[in-house]
Amino acid sequence: MERKASVTIHDIARELNISASTVSRALNDNPRIRKSTKEKIKALALELGYQPNTIASNLRTQKTHTIGIVVPLINRHFFSTFISGVEDVAFDAGYNVIISQSKDLLQKEQQIVNSMFSNRVDGLITSLSMQTSAFEHFQLFANKNIPLVFFDRIAPGFEANKIIVDDFACGFKATQHLIDEGYQRIAHLAGPTVLNTYHDRMEGYKSALIKNNMPLEDELIICNRLTRMDGQEAIKKLLDLKNPPDAVFCGNDTSALSMIVYLKSQGIRIPEDFGIVGFSNEPFSEVVTPSISTLKQPAQEMGQKAAELIINEIENKELPRTYQTITMPTELIVRESSSRKFN
Amino acid sequence: MERKASVTIHDIARELNISASTVSRALNDNPRIRKSTKEKIKALALELGYQPNTIASNLRTQKTHTIGIVVPLINRHFFSTFISGVEDVAFDAGYNVIISQSKDLLQKEQQIVNSMFSNRVDGLITSLSMQTSAFEHFQLFANKNIPLVFFDRIAPGFEANKIIVDDFACGFKATQHLIDEGYQRIAHLAGPTVLNTYHDRMEGYKSALIKNNMPLEDELIICNRLTRMDGQEAIKKLLDLKNPPDAVFCGNDTSALSMIVYLKSQGIRIPEDFGIVGFSNEPFSEVVTPSISTLKQPAQEMGQKAAELIINEIENKELPRTYQTITMPTELIVRESSSRKFN
DNA sequence: TTGAAAGCGCTAACAT
DNA sequence: ATGTTAGCGCTTTCAA
């Protein structure tokens, strides 16, 4: 029942009448240790069930081989897939991954970022909460020159690496697609436009309308948090307009889904009477009826890229820092919810 | 560009002409420090931008306030939701969460478990890989008396806390439901039955058939890894039998979905001609057409419970250890894919 | 109420 | 090829 004190390199050293440093070197495969000594040491280490104490090593080397990730919600498909991508690359490079979720609360995000710092993560990868519009809490990392990568919801103007998709182009593509399908009056449901993602999608939407000489109308743009409930409220509001839209480009798939459910319940046919395009390519979008046209972001690849970037930065600290913003490719996936032409 | 050395308690001590221990005590709100001293210290700490070095503290106190989680795949909804539940409780209790995915590979699982140990996590929460049928790699934790919680896919016979659902009862309920709906010949698609989850679901299935005086037939039971592809192959095989089934209870929703897609493509009507029940209540199950009847596991709550259990164990190390197996409630959600009676 | 001193387990100059 | 020594930054016993 009692916790047996762990075996340390000193235990091994004592037993073999050598010094702890030799043991340390041997276990780290330092070439300056004689092969026979190494073998002796490793054999005994195995026999005694020695397990290195990473904490001690971390303290000594000032390096934790740990990457922190902060996302709004761990169990959102986009984020969990991103995390999976990070973990893949990190694991292969010998890094651990420590994760927290902000729950879209600025205050929690701030706490987490501080905690990650105190835990001396070697780098931090993050996508901002819906409430985040100031970035002082990340200054801690910038000041200490600790690598920082923003993805998806980024801090505009903050000097750091960033991984995004071209949300403007996505918004444009989605809207242009609806126009091409013959929809006449296209609305947009946006998320909080303090966030670059939702802001840019909306601008892309507007730009497409303008390019096609269609009027921008304030009443056709609704901003909320894009939950299922939000989607339903939005579509109700839109249908209640004197001059309601015949299509909506939604800021995410969840709200698009709830709109579809509501429209179906009202006997409004999709895509014949009403067109919908969502965002993110959630797993359900492909299999729901009608299937949801959407924009696919390469979540796994974004995570991998983020990990590569940050590990590279961690391991090349001395190089003059140059920050890049990497734009990953997206794909407009046209499905039933907007495909009049196939009918 | 150069990394400015961090402020330590010694810097604060020097500046105030006091000892580092006093600073340490003050910052930790030790009651034996005079209030005025405390305030002076905290003010200076703030001014200098002091951030505690958790690593050093961890080494000294032999406690990391970190919980390790090992799951097969981070971006499976059940697992990411479980993780979210753990993180919620852990964060509130001042614990960090470090995560790795085994990718259902035993070897990776072993590596991860060792690495988690070396990182001196205070406890480990895990769901086994599909390849795991021996558990020596967890012995490390058991030997050192480090709290260990298995969930979902557990190590039978291993002395540890466990959080599960009653998979046997689930299998029984699902099958009984299909029988009640009038299906005559019910097949089962199982995952690797070395895992308790899939094994128990299958036994539940068998038990329901027996109870209803229906024959058990080997050809109606297929085992694979339950991917989409696996589901499709399985349903093809089943339909090719001389005497094919008219319903399937699937070990997960993914394979159930792929069966539905295939059946629809063959013009087989669901639920009229064929009944399907899945497992896990993936987000898509509710919205696909036909919607999928399934068993709902309380993933978030399981995660919370796991965190509570392990934190309690961590913080009451001295108590004689008693291991519990907690069975969480499940719910059979009846939807279109098996609801003949509603038609 | 505060300080001195030791040490958690490891690594890395610097010696030999 | 190996040993000596110092110390990473913190906590904690013991002493004052």
Side-chain angles (χ1 to χ4, degrees):
Chain A
M1 192 63 48
E2 80 292 358
R3 180 165 182 166
K4 194 178 72 215
S6 291
V7 182
T8 73
I9 53 172
H10 291 99
D11 298 324
I12 298 177
R14 197 178 322 108
E15 195 124 337
L16 293 175
N17 271 311
I18 54 179
S19 78
S21 18
T22 303
V23 176
S24 172
R25 290 186 185 109
L27 294 173
N28 290 316
D29 265 328
N30 184 315
R32 289 177 0 198
I33 300 294
R34 199 194 295 133
K35 206 172 159 207
S36 64
T37 320
K38 245 184 220 178
E39 282 162 2
K40 226 174 27 186
I41 291 171
K42 287 188 179 176
L44 184 59
L46 200 64
E47 188 193 326
L48 297 180
Y50 169 78
Q51 295 288 142
N53 185 324
T54 306
I55 303 295
S57 169
N58 289 348
L59 178 60
R60 177 60 231 238
T61 60
Q62 304 281 60
K63 198 163 175 333
T64 57
H65 286 276
T66 297
I67 295 170
I69 304 184
V70 189
V71 292
L73 266 181
I74 292 172
N75 62 339
R76 277 264 305 280
H77 189 254
F78 172 71
F79 290 123
S80 66
T81 304
F82 177 92
I83 292 169
S84 172
V86 173
E87 203 274 337
D88 279 351
V89 171
F91 182 83
D92 289 342
Y95 282 79
N96 291 110
V97 163
I98 154 174
I99 301 184
S100 265
Q101 51 192 347
S102 69
K103 295 291 186 91
D104 271 318
L105 302 173
L106 172 60
Q107 205 203 332
K108 191 168 178 211
E109 182 178 281
Q110 291 167 329
Q111 280 184 65
I112 293 169
V113 169
N114 271 292
S115 158
M116 294 266 176
F117 181 86
S118 280
N119 274 281
R120 296 297 188 268
V121 294
D122 289 338
L124 187 71
I125 299 175
T126 186
S127 184
L128 302 174
S129 92
M130 278 195 181
Q131 299 182 333
T132 307
S133 56
F135 316 108
E136 289 85 27
H137 45 307
F138 294 108
Q139 206 55 52
L140 201 52
F141 284 78
N143 291 345
K144 290 268 163 37
N145 211 25
I146 300 168
L148 192 53
V149 173
F150 292 98
F151 76 96
D152 191 49
R153 301 179 186 172
I154 63 175
F158 202 101
E159 296 231 322
N161 284 310
K162 291 163 193 167
I163 298 189
I164 54 173
V165 297
D166 189 339
D167 285 289
F168 179 91
C170 287
F172 189 97
K173 274 194 285 187
T175 311
Q176 183 66 53
H177 161 67
L178 286 167
I179 295 170
D180 292 345
E181 293 287 330
Y183 295 101
Q184 307 280 343
R185 207 170 147 68
I186 300 167
H188 176 47
L189 174 59
T193 50
V194 285
L195 294 173
N196 60 298
T197 49
Y198 300 120
H199 174 267
D200 293 355
R201 287 170 207 173
M202 185 170 76
E203 290 304 315
Y205 156 83
K206 288 181 184 172
S207 171
L209 291 187
I210 291 169
K211 170 125 183 270
N212 290 270
N213 299 311
M214 295 169 80
L216 292 187
E217 296 185 40
D218 283 350
E219 63 175 17
L220 293 184
I221 298 181
I222 296 181
C223 278
N224 58 34
R225 289 169 66 95
L226 304 182
T227 64
R228 252 173 110 148
M229 191 71 91
D230 289 329
Q232 197 183 97
E233 279 170 20
I235 187 66
K236 280 186 192 170
K237 219 178 281 180
L238 288 170
L239 292 179
D240 278 350
L241 293 176
K242 288 141 300 180
N243 192 3
D246 62 353
V248 184
F249 163 45
C250 295
N252 70 8
D253 281 352
T254 305
S255 56
L257 172 64
S258 67
M259 284 197 183
I260 286 175
V261 170
Y262 183 77
L263 289 164
K264 279 166 79 172
S265 78
Q266 301 299 304
I268 297 175
R269 296 171 308 161
I270 309 168
E272 294 84 347
D273 305 331
F274 208 99
I276 297 271
V277 176
F279 205 105
S280 271
N281 194 29
E282 295 284 341
F284 62 75
S285 301
E286 182 185 0
V287 295
V288 67
T289 303
S291 56
I292 305 176
S293 299
T294 191
L295 283 127
K296 178 179 175 181
Q297 300 163 288
Q300 183 97 15
E301 290 77 8
M302 288 172 79
Q304 292 169 341
K305 193 74 204 171
E308 285 165 17
L309 255 186
I310 210 161
I311 291 171
N312 180 55
E313 228 188 314
I314 291 167
E315 302 190 341
N316 297 288
K317 276 260 176 113
E318 64 296 341
L319 294 184
R321 198 63 60 78
T322 113
Y323 300 108
Q324 19 181 343
T325 294
I326 296 181
T327 304
M328 305 286 284
T330 56
E331 189 190 344
L332 172 68
I333 304 183
V334 175
R335 297 202 181 104
E336 294 164 354
S337 69
S338 67
S339 301
R340 265 179 173 170
K341 293 194 171 158
F342 297 157
N343 289 287
Chain B
M1 195 62 46
E2 79 291 359
R3 180 165 180 167
K4 193 178 71 213
S6 292
V7 182
T8 73
I9 52 172
H10 290 100
D11 298 324
I12 297 177
R14 198 177 322 110
E15 196 123 336
L16 294 175
N17 272 310
I18 53 178
S19 78
S21 10
T22 303
V23 177
S24 172
R25 290 189 184 106
L27 295 173
N28 289 319
D29 265 327
N30 185 314
R32 287 179 359 200
I33 300 295
R34 197 192 298 134
K35 205 171 162 209
S36 64
T37 321
K38 244 184 220 177
E39 282 162 3
K40 225 173 33 183
I41 291 171
K42 287 188 178 176
L44 184 59
L46 201 64
E47 188 193 326
L48 298 180
Y50 170 77
Q51 294 288 143
N53 185 326
T54 306
I55 302 296
S57 168
N58 288 348
L59 178 61
R60 176 60 229 244
T61 59
Q62 305 282 61
K63 195 161 178 336
T64 57
H65 286 276
T66 297
I67 295 170
I69 304 183
V70 189
V71 292
L73 264 181
I74 291 172
N75 62 338
R76 277 263 306 279
H77 188 254
F78 172 72
F79 291 123
S80 65
T81 304
F82 177 92
I83 292 170
S84 172
V86 173
E87 202 274 337
D88 278 350
V89 171
F91 182 83
D92 288 342
Y95 283 79
N96 291 109
V97 162
I98 153 174
I99 301 182
S100 266
Q101 51 191 346
S102 69
K103 294 290 182 95
D104 271 317
L105 302 172
L106 172 59
Q107 205 203 330
K108 194 174 175 206
E109 182 178 280
Q110 291 167 329
Q111 281 183 63
I112 293 171
V113 169
N114 271 291
S115 158
M116 294 265 176
F117 181 87
S118 281
N119 274 282
R120 296 296 188 268
V121 294
D122 289 338
L124 186 71
I125 299 176
T126 186
S127 183
L128 301 173
S129 93
M130 279 194 179
Q131 299 182 334
T132 307
S133 56
F135 316 109
E136 288 87 27
H137 46 306
F138 294 108
Q139 207 53 52
L140 200 52
F141 283 78
N143 290 346
K144 291 269 161 42
N145 210 24
I146 300 169
L148 194 51
V149 173
F150 292 98
F151 76 97
D152 190 50
R153 300 178 185 174
I154 62 175
F158 202 103
E159 295 231 320
N161 284 310
K162 291 162 193 168
I163 296 189
I164 54 174
V165 297
D166 189 340
D167 285 290
F168 180 90
C170 286
F172 189 97
K173 274 194 283 186
T175 311
Q176 184 66 53
H177 162 67
L178 286 167
I179 295 170
D180 292 345
E181 293 288 330
Y183 294 100
Q184 307 280 343
R185 208 171 146 66
I186 300 167
H188 177 47
L189 174 59
T193 50
V194 285
L195 294 174
N196 60 298
T197 49
Y198 301 121
H199 174 267
D200 292 354
R201 288 171 206 172
M202 185 168 77
E203 291 304 316
Y205 155 84
K206 288 181 182 170
S207 172
L209 292 187
I210 291 168
K211 170 126 186 269
N212 289 271
N213 298 312
M214 296 169 80
L216 291 187
E217 297 186 39
D218 284 349
E219 62 175 19
L220 293 184
I221 298 181
I222 296 182
C223 279
N224 57 35
R225 293 169 62 95
L226 304 182
T227 63
R228 251 173 111 148
M229 190 73 91
D230 288 329
Q232 196 183 99
E233 279 171 18
I235 187 67
K236 280 186 192 169
K237 220 180 276 177
L238 287 170
L239 292 180
D240 278 351
L241 293 175
K242 287 142 299 177
N243 192 3
D246 62 354
V248 184
F249 163 45
C250 295
N252 69 9
D253 281 351
T254 304
S255 57
L257 172 64
S258 67
M259 285 195 182
I260 286 176
V261 170
Y262 183 77
L263 288 163
K264 279 167 80 173
S265 79
Q266 301 299 303
I268 297 175
R269 295 172 309 162
I270 308 169
E272 294 84 347
D273 305 332
F274 207 98
I276 296 272
V277 175
F279 205 105
S280 271
N281 194 29
E282 296 283 342
F284 62 75
S285 302
E286 182 186 358
V287 295
V288 68
T289 305
S291 56
I292 305 176
S293 299
T294 190
L295 284 127
K296 177 179 175 180
Q297 300 162 288
Q300 183 96 15
E301 291 77 7
M302 289 172 79
Q304 292 168 344
K305 193 78 205 165
E308 284 164 18
L309 256 185
I310 210 162
I311 290 171
N312 179 55
E313 228 187 315
I314 290 168
E315 302 191 341
N316 297 288
K317 275 257 174 116
E318 65 294 344
L319 295 182
R321 198 62 59 79
T322 114
Y323 300 108
Q324 20 182 344
T325 295
I326 296 182
T327 304
M328 305 286 285
T330 56
E331 188 190 344
L332 171 66
I333 303 182
V334 175
R335 299 203 181 103
E336 295 165 353
S337 69
S338 67
S339 301
R340 263 179 175 169
K341 293 194 170 159
F342 297 157
N343 290 286

